[in-house]
């Protein structure tokens, strides 16, 4: 096992990569408190049909080879929260499950793995991307680059294999697999990762997944169906750095408007407002005055990025709350 871990570390050290400083260029943003992230420099992928200068081809290639600016916004925000996450004594969870949807390079979750795995609580991350080759050739190397060091041991490697899963394909397919606990995995790390049995996560991360109306609708659907629901069933909302029983939290980094394709923050808000998840086993009142309840999503803007030079970007916090029919 020690030799195997050493071989993996040696392999990782041979990857061509660039460093990404974790400090925002926006005025007033705090400087980074942690080391830069590493991202692999993709080589020529002979097994792909991706024309040069093409960001995405809907239904064929969903842009996973590019580092999108909203994913870096999400990294900057996580960096700001790291001290709170690392030092908060009131965080009462022993386990923290994370889903990164449409992950591409997966940098936000790579950052969380690097800084928190084995330090604060038992953490698992499921990376999901439309394209299998993106997970294999980009996401997985980035995970290894950012988590395994020359000093890493066999125990470190084993911890990583049980903490990270990867799955490719359509988002609604993913939802079905999570709901039925039939998740197929694609990962050279092995098959030790186990998703939450109920298919619901403490944290869901996504960047640039709202670029069309359909994508915004599917993003909202995935959040509502796979974010952990509050135990208290109240209108209180979960904070990633507070630690309580009020359910999961999703962070959506998005451009305010995607010109030419119709998606963006407002469209996503509308899709969240339109969705509801009826509680099957929960009625209020006696037989004659039963009231149905359902879950909805609250969307809150927590950061705005506007340098006056390009499209305005927003970081959204999404949390579930219960509505009771009066």
């Amino acid at each position: 096992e020690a030799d195997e871990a050493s071989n993996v570390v040696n392999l990782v050290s041979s990857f061509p990569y660039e460093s990404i400083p974790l400090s925002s260029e926006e005025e007033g943003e705090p400087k980074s408190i942690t080391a830069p992230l590493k991202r692999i420099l993709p080589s020529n992928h002979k097994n792909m049909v991706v024309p040069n200068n093409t960001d995405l081809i809907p239904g064929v290639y969903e842009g996973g080879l590019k580092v999108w600016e909203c994913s870096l916004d999400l990294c900057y925000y996580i960096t700001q929260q790291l001290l709170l996450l690392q030092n908060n004594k009131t965080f009462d969870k022993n386990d923290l499950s994370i889903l990164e949807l449409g992950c591409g390079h997966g940098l936000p979750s790579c950052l969380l793995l690097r800084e928190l795995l084995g330090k604060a609580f038992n953490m698992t991350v499921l990376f999901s991307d439309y394209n299998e080759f993106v997970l294999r050739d980009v996401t997985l190397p980035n995970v290894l680059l950012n988590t395994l060091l020359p000093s890493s041991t066999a125990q470190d490697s084993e911890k990583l294999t049980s903490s990270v899963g990867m799955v490719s394909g359509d988002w609604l397919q993913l939802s079905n697999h999570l709901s039925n606990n039939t998740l197929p995995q694609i990962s050279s790390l092995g098959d030790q990762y186990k998703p939450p049995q109920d298919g619901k996560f403490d944290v869901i991360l996504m960047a640039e997944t709202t670029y069309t109306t359909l994508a915004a609708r599917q993003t909202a659907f995935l959040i509502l169906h796979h974010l952990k629901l509050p135990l208290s069933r109240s209108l209180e909302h979960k904070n990633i750095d507070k630690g309580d029983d009020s359910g999961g939290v999703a962070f959506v980094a998005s451009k305010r408007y995607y010109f030419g394709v119709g998606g963006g923050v407002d469209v996503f808000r509308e899709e969240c407002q339109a969705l509801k998840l009826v509680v099957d086993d929960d009625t209020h009142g006696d037989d004659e005055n039963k009231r149905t309840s359902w879950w909805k999503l609250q969307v809150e803007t927590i950061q705005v990025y506007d340098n006056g030079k390009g499209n305005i970007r927003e970081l959204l916090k999404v949390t579930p709350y219960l509505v009771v029919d009066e």
Side-chain angles (χ1 to χ4, degrees):
E1 289 186 0
D3 288 342
E4 184 176 345
S6 177
N7 290 337
V8 172
V9 171
N10 289 335
L11 175 63
V12 171
S13 66
S14 69
F15 290 163
Y17 71 88
E18 69 173 357
S19 294
I20 299 179
L22 292 177
S23 58
S24 174
E25 295 180 358
E26 308 294 338
E27 280 190 32
E29 289 297 311
K31 298 298 182 182
S32 174
I33 60 168
T34 189
L37 276 171
K38 298 175 182 178
R39 76 108 175 177
I40 193 167
L41 297 174
S43 56
N44 293 325
H45 298 275
K46 297 178 181 178
N47 59 330
M48 304 180 329
V49 184
V50 181
N52 291 334
N53 303 318
T54 298
D55 285 339
L56 61 87
I57 305 171
V60 178
Y61 163 63
E62 293 291 340
L65 296 180
K66 179 176 178 177
V67 177
W68 297 86
E69 56 189 342
C70 286
S71 69
L72 297 181
D73 294 338
L74 192 49
C75 288
Y76 302 147
Y77 178 74
I78 291 171
T79 299
Q80 295 167 20
Q81 304 302 307
L82 279 174
L83 286 178
L84 294 170
L85 282 164
Q86 291 167 335
N87 298 330
N88 195 335
K89 305 299 184 183
T90 63
F91 197 92
D92 57 2
K93 283 183 176 294
N94 293 321
D95 303 304
L96 185 67
S97 57
I98 298 171
L99 167 65
E100 185 167 350
L101 183 66
C103 64
H105 281 257
L107 295 177
S109 292
C110 284
L111 174 58
L112 286 169
L113 280 168
R114 188 187 73 183
E115 297 297 326
L116 298 178
L117 183 62
K119 298 177 183 177
F121 20 67
N122 296 323
M123 183 171 70
T124 60
V125 178
L126 178 61
F127 292 90
S128 168
D129 194 271
Y130 188 84
N131 297 109
E132 179 180 347
F133 66 78
V134 169
L135 292 170
R136 184 188 63 241
D137 298 340
V138 174
T139 315
L140 178 58
N142 282 347
V143 170
L144 298 176
L145 275 168
N146 287 288
T147 57
L148 292 182
L149 305 172
S151 59
S152 294
T153 65
Q155 187 176 7
D156 295 328
S157 181
E158 184 177 345
K159 180 70 175 175
L160 188 62
T161 61
S162 62
S163 300
V164 173
M166 297 186 181
V167 61
S168 66
D170 177 83
W171 291 347
L172 298 185
Q173 249 184 353
L174 170 65
S175 177
N176 288 333
H177 284 306
L178 288 172
S179 298
N180 297 311
N181 203 18
T182 57
L183 189 71
Q185 293 180 51
I186 300 166
S187 174
S188 298
L189 291 172
D191 58 359
Q192 296 182 43
Y193 167 85
K194 301 298 180 188
Q197 287 193 340
D198 61 358
K200 296 183 184 295
F201 295 82
D202 295 300
V203 178
I204 299 179
L205 304 173
M206 58 216 77
E208 311 272 12
T209 61
T210 63
Y211 62 92
T212 66
T213 300
L214 177 60
R217 182 178 304 134
Q218 292 181 344
T219 297
F221 178 92
L222 260 291
I223 294 173
L224 183 60
H225 285 79
H226 298 288
L227 196 61
K228 204 163 279 187
L229 299 173
L231 296 177
S232 59
R233 298 191 172 184
S234 70
L235 291 177
E236 294 179 10
H237 304 290
K238 182 177 179 67
N239 233 327
I240 192 172
D241 58 346
K242 292 287 185 179
D244 53 35
D245 67 350
S246 59
V249 57
F251 292 101
V252 181
S254 173
K255 292 183 175 68
R256 186 167 287 179
Y257 185 74
Y258 289 87
F259 297 98
V261 285
V265 169
D266 289 342
V267 173
F268 176 69
R269 287 182 183 274
E270 291 169 4
E271 294 298 334
C272 286
Q273 182 61 34
L275 279 179
K276 65 181 180 181
L277 180 62
V278 175
V279 180
D280 294 331
D281 60 348
D282 193 37
T283 54
H284 303 264
D286 55 32
D287 289 340
E288 295 182 1
N289 300 291
K290 285 186 176 179
R291 294 176 295 166
T292 303
S293 58
W294 58 84
W295 293 104
K296 298 276 292 179
L297 294 174
Q298 172 168 298
V299 182
E300 173 190 357
T301 297
I302 55 175
Q303 296 273 9
V304 176
Y305 303 92
D306 181 10
N307 58 13
K309 300 176 183 177
N311 203 335
I312 299 173
R313 310 184 305 278
E314 295 189 26
L315 179 59
L316 309 174
K317 176 183 175 182
V318 186
T319 46
Y321 67 95
L322 191 68
V323 175
V324 179
D325 185 13
E326 298 296 336

